Amino acid sequence: YTLESANATYLVAYHETPVHHYRDDITVKFMPSGSGCKASAFSTSTIWYAVLDDGTNYCNLHNLVTDTKLQFTEDVDTSDCTQYSSANCAKY
């Protein structure tokens, strides 16, 4: 993961896939929520043909959040994240 820019309300980064070195852009927006915060995030492949990517973009976000060791819940829109159920995030 490479951080490109950030402030108190957002961050922009990218992740390079390990095998083919494709670049995926990541954006996270932070909003206050009670005593914590809510984050809205997306990851997008920069190549047009990465439609059936084995959940790579989901894994970009999942692995990023999991590695922080923060407590979190996720709400995944499976109409946008079409390979959510088959994603194998351990390979990224």
Side-chain angles (χ1 to χ4, degrees):
Y1 294 92
T2 302
L3 181 65
E4 293 190 305
S5 63
N7 66 26
T9 61
Y10 77 93
L11 70 80
V12 176
Y14 69 89
H15 178 257
E16 186 175 310
T17 61
V19 176
H20 297 290
H21 305 286
Y22 297 138
R23 178 183 162 133
D24 300 326
D25 291 332
I26 298 169
T27 302
V28 183
K29 180 180 178 183
F30 301 102
M31 299 150 284
S33 179
S35 62
C37 75
K38 180 177 180 179
S40 176
F42 64 91
S43 174
T44 306
S45 298
T46 59
I47 54 172
W48 64 268
Y49 52 87
V51 178
L52 300 175
D53 66 355
D54 293 325
T56 300
N57 286 298
Y58 164 76
C59 291
N60 287 338
L61 299 175
H62 178 79
N63 290 344
L64 184 62
V65 173
T66 301
D67 286 350
T68 67
K69 307 294 187 220
L70 296 171
Q71 180 182 4
F72 71 97
T73 58
E74 62 183 21
D75 181 16
V76 177
D77 182 346
T78 55
S79 66
D80 287 332
C81 186
T82 56
Q83 295 191 313
Y84 169 72
S85 63
S86 63
N88 176 10
C89 297
K91 71 180 187 178
Y92 301 107

